[in-house]
């Protein structure tokens, strides 16, 4: 008897003029589920067997898919499973923060193949971009040493940095004003020869979580990112939502009291920047990660006090996220050590009552996600892969309306 277990996949369409969308649907199905046969793909994507066969042949010729040995299921004819070729595409991801930058190279499956980091001069983009270009060049050399085809198969450079972007008055040091005014994307495109895209750090963290973390296979999730600032990456209907100007999810800017005397943005009280200030730490220290971890493990009094205060404010932010976005789960991600992030999640319980507090939940309302400080760079690298290969229903809608 054939295996009829559910396969995670978006639906394709058998209408004319939608082959590019169907191709992306097939790639995503293979990424989510691993190896699948043509029959499996047809059943999961609701495409005809002929359409699936045509797309598989195209993907094979493009070096994106490879056939595995035939397998027999039950008494039926043997079937040939297909899987994605990790070396079919590569991308570079760049994380720019106030004091440092990280660059990674990933393959089609999101595996990190090369990475490097460097310190940045604070709020001096003209000097900082020179450091960044050298860092990217070094990562590309390392990648070329791993795969001779990497340069031909590089689909782009993804950049992630703190938002919000494009505000009228962005002199607040929290927003990296000099970098905001600098022609960063144009400079990087010219210096690398790659297509360059930008997203905020929380969105990049959500992208990483969607590929290799707790949001993998989840259609509706919000990743609450606690870094130097605070943001929320929104995964809605299986796609990353960035808003009209790339500033969706800037929850760190939300005021904790009505505007006026005493009103304070969330990130001024519950971010790692507020922790550094509270403890008198220098965020530019090369061992800042180790310093924070040691203080948590020692249950330092000042550290524990900050955790309690930050948890109080972040508990409110989870309630706000659940009320507005109705996600299946909220995932706390952070560039902090896992011990600190875990204590923070524990201190946020019990959560405030909300519409998410319902019986029969399959996922917890709040869970701990990735705490790897490289996760933002990974998410930034995944963005060009996503733009090149992920199905977007907004694109299929445009195709249908243009053909109507």
């Amino acid at each position: 008897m054939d295996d009829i277990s559910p396969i995670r996949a978006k639906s394709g369409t058998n209408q004319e003029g939608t082959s590019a969308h169907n191709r992306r649907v097939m790639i995503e199905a293979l990424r989510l589920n691993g190896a699948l046969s043509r029959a499996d793909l047809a059943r999961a994507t609701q495409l005809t067997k002929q359409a699936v066969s045509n797309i598989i042949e195209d993907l094979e010729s493009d070096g994106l898919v490879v056939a595995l040995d035939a397998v027999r299921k039950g008494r039926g004819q043997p079937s040939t499973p297909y899987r994605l070729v990790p070396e079919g595409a590569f991308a570079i991801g760049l994380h720019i923060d106030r004091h440092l930058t990280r660059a990674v190279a990933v393959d089609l499956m999101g595996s990190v193949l090369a990475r490097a980091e460097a310190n940045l001069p604070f709020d001096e983009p003209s000097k900082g971009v020179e450091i960044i270009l050298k860092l990217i060049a070094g990562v590309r050399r390392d990648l070329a040493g791993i795969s001779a085809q990497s340069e031909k198969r590089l689909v782009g450079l993804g950049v992630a940095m703190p938002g919000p972007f494009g505000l009228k008055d962005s002199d607040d040091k929290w927003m990296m004003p000099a970098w905001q005014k600098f022609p960063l994307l144009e400079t990087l495109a010219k210096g690398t020869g790659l297509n360059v895209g930008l997203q905020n750090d929380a969105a990049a963290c959500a992208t990483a979580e969607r590929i290799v973390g707790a949001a993998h296979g989840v259609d509706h999730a919000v990743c609450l990112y606690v870094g130097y600032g605070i943001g929320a990456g929104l995964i809605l209907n299986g796609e990353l939502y960035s808003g009209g100007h790339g500033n969706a999810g800037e929850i760190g800017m939300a005021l904790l009291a009505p505007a006026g005397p005493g009103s304070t943005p969330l990130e001024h009280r519950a971010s790692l920047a507020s922790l550094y200030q509270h403890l008198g730490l220098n965020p530019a220290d090369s061992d800042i990660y180790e310093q924070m971890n040691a203080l948590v493990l020692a249950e330092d009094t000042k550290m524990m006090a900050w955790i309690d205060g930050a948890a109080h404010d972040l508990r409110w932010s989870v309630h706000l996220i659940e009320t507005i976005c109705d996600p299946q789960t909220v995932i706390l991600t952070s560039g902090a050590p896992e011990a600190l992030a875990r204590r923070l999640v524990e201190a946020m319980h019990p959560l405030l009552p909300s519409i998410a507090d319902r019986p029969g939940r399959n996922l917890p309302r709040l869970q701990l996600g990735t705490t790897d400080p490289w996760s933002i760079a990974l998410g930034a690298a995944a963005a060009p892969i996503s733009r090149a290969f992920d199905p977007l229903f907004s694109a299929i809608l445009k195709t249908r309306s243009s053909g109507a």
Side-chain angles (χ1 to χ4, degrees):
M1 184 174 181
D2 289 345
D3 181 8
I4 56 172
S5 57
I7 300 171
R8 291 198 57 84
K10 290 187 174 71
S11 296
T13 174
N14 292 298
Q15 294 186 21
E16 293 183 4
T18 55
S19 59
H21 172 75
N22 292 337
R23 177 184 169 102
R24 288 169 176 255
V25 165
M26 297 262 287
I27 290 172
E28 184 187 54
L30 292 170
R31 182 186 292 122
L32 285 173
N33 300 281
L36 295 172
S37 68
R38 298 188 187 199
D40 290 334
L41 286 164
R43 174 163 55 90
T45 62
Q46 299 180 34
L47 291 170
T48 65
K49 292 183 179 179
Q50 185 59 53
V52 168
S53 294
N54 292 341
I55 294 170
I56 284 292
E57 289 176 6
D58 288 343
L59 294 175
E60 277 191 290
S61 65
D62 290 343
L64 295 171
V65 161
V66 65
L68 303 179
D69 293 337
V71 295
R72 184 181 296 277
K73 294 181 180 180
R75 299 177 182 177
Q77 293 293 321
S79 61
T80 301
Y82 295 84
R83 67 165 175 83
L84 291 180
V85 177
E87 300 81 12
F90 301 93
I92 306 293
L94 179 68
H95 175 203
I96 301 174
D97 213 333
R98 281 84 175 173
H99 302 283
L100 59 80
T101 181
R102 294 186 173 100
V104 302
V106 303
D107 61 21
L108 180 59
M109 302 302 292
S111 299
V112 176
L113 303 178
R115 69 183 195 180
E117 65 179 341
N119 292 326
L120 288 179
F122 182 70
D123 239 17
E124 294 185 45
S126 58
K127 295 181 180 178
V129 77
E130 295 178 7
I131 296 171
I132 288 170
L133 288 172
K134 290 179 181 178
L135 197 71
I136 293 172
V139 167
R140 291 174 76 167
R141 284 194 300 270
D142 292 343
L143 180 60
I146 297 171
S147 171
Q149 297 293 315
S150 63
E151 283 297 312
K152 294 181 180 179
R153 292 184 175 270
L154 266 179
V155 296
L157 168 65
V159 181
M161 61 183 290
F165 305 130
L167 299 190
K168 182 178 180 181
D169 298 311
S170 58
D171 291 331
D172 189 332
K173 290 297 183 183
W174 288 65
M175 300 181 196
M176 301 174 64
W179 285 90
Q180 291 270 1
K181 298 170 184 175
F182 185 78
L184 178 64
L185 300 190
E186 296 88 341
T187 305
L188 290 176
K190 182 179 179 180
T192 63
L194 299 173
N195 292 323
V196 184
L198 174 68
Q199 61 185 166
N200 65 40
D201 46 10
C205 215
T207 302
E209 206 69 38
R210 181 170 173 256
I211 293 176
V212 296
H216 184 69
V218 179
D219 290 329
H220 308 280
V222 174
C223 296
L224 180 60
Y225 174 67
V226 179
Y228 194 97
I230 293 177
L234 311 178
I235 300 170
L236 306 177
N237 291 318
E239 297 179 11
L240 190 70
Y241 178 74
S242 58
H245 303 90
N247 290 327
E250 286 289 351
I251 196 170
M253 303 295 293
L255 299 178
L256 295 175
S263 62
T264 307
L266 171 66
E267 66 181 11
H268 285 203
R269 287 172 44 170
S271 66
L272 294 187
S274 71
L275 174 61
Y276 301 147
Q277 186 176 27
H278 178 73
L279 297 177
L281 299 177
N282 182 357
D285 286 349
S286 59
D287 64 342
I288 186 67
Y289 194 87
E290 289 76 15
Q291 290 183 55
M292 289 191 292
N293 191 55
L295 290 170
V296 174
L297 296 179
E299 299 193 347
D300 175 79
T301 302
K302 293 187 70 175
M303 173 65 84
M304 295 300 108
W306 179 85
I307 289 175
D308 288 341
H312 177 273
D313 294 333
L314 291 171
R315 187 183 301 123
W316 164 84
S317 72
V318 170
H319 172 84
L320 183 64
I321 288 168
E322 291 176 331
T323 303
I324 295 173
C325 299
D326 189 26
Q328 293 168 264
T329 185
V330 176
I331 304 166
L332 188 137
T333 63
S334 181
E338 182 180 349
L340 172 54
R342 190 172 297 280
R343 290 295 291 262
L344 198 54
V345 168
E346 292 170 356
M348 290 167 67
H349 287 85
L351 298 173
L352 297 173
S354 82
I355 60 172
D357 192 9
R358 65 181 71 208
R361 292 186 60 91
N362 294 321
L363 295 171
R365 288 175 58 190
L366 174 67
Q367 58 181 307
L368 180 63
T370 305
T371 58
D372 186 342
W374 290 86
S375 61
I376 294 178
L378 169 59
I385 298 284
S386 177
R387 284 194 296 273
F389 299 108
D390 286 358
L392 298 173
F393 282 111
S394 56
I396 193 71
L397 289 173
K398 289 179 181 177
T399 300
R400 287 176 177 173
S401 63
S402 64

